[in-house]
Amino acid sequence: MSTIETRLAELGLTLPPLLPPMGTYVPYTISGNLLFLSGQGPKEPEGDWLRGQVGTEVSVEEAYRRARLTGLRLLAVTQSALGSLDRVQRVLKLLGMVYAAPGFKQHPAVINGCSDLFVEVFGEAGRHARSAVGVSGLPEDISVEIEAVLEIA
């Protein structure tokens, strides 16, 4: 078992199954030592999309949980792309989008769900640059979508 797989097990985390892209794109691309991950959204382990507008239908705490689930999806794509999460040298950048109610201002608190997960899994190498923005809608009415750029070996 790899170091990161051991860490996931210690944290009681299981990576979800991969999903097919929802459009004309690929789940990831690799250029040199960079892995670019397409946006992922939250799904329950049973397979239901987690929908709803944050700030009206979904609380900040629940949206944080959904961002964390989205982070697990990003890790699953990373493992598929690289064969091992141990090849991740550093998480460089996240772009987190929150399906937010007008006037909602806690986007960073929501996307912390993914950011905190990456630090738990990768330690200091999981600390990253980040943008957290509100949007008027996301595919399937999901609450959050997150994409990432990783440095890899």
Side-chain angles (χ1 to χ4, degrees):
M1 187 178 286
S2 77
T3 304
I4 298 299
E5 287 172 342
T6 300
R7 182 74 182 131
L8 288 171
E10 289 169 353
L11 293 168
L13 299 172
T14 303
L15 298 182
L18 297 178
L19 299 172
M22 297 174 81
T24 308
Y25 63 91
V26 294
Y28 66 87
T29 58
I30 297 174
S31 180
N33 67 337
L34 298 178
L35 173 64
F36 296 85
L37 300 174
S38 293
Q40 295 289 320
K43 263 191 154 189
E44 289 288 8
E46 302 80 38
D48 293 330
W49 286 110
L50 294 170
R51 298 175 169 90
Q53 187 178 57
V54 181
T56 56
E57 305 165 290
V58 178
S59 69
V60 172
E61 295 77 18
E62 174 59 17
Y64 174 98
R65 184 183 80 86
R66 293 175 182 198
R68 187 175 176 88
L69 289 172
T70 301
L72 289 172
R73 291 206 161 282
L74 290 165
L75 292 177
V77 173
T78 300
Q79 186 172 50
S80 174
L82 303 178
S84 171
L85 291 172
D86 287 334
R87 289 187 55 200
V88 174
Q89 298 296 297
R90 182 172 181 141
V91 179
L92 296 174
K93 171 82 174 171
L94 294 184
L95 169 59
M97 295 160 277
V98 180
Y99 173 30
F104 183 79
K105 294 179 175 50
Q106 295 177 288
H107 311 94
V110 170
I111 301 305
N112 279 346
C114 183
S115 295
D116 291 347
L117 171 71
F118 283 9
V119 172
E120 289 173 31
V121 171
F122 295 111
E124 283 302 307
R127 294 196 182 278
H128 48 269
R130 185 183 85 184
S131 297
V133 298
V135 297
S136 63
L138 288 168
E140 298 292 327
D141 289 327
I142 57 177
S143 301
V144 298
E145 181 175 349
I146 305 171
E147 61 182 49
V149 179
L150 311 175
E151 181 182 11
I152 60 172

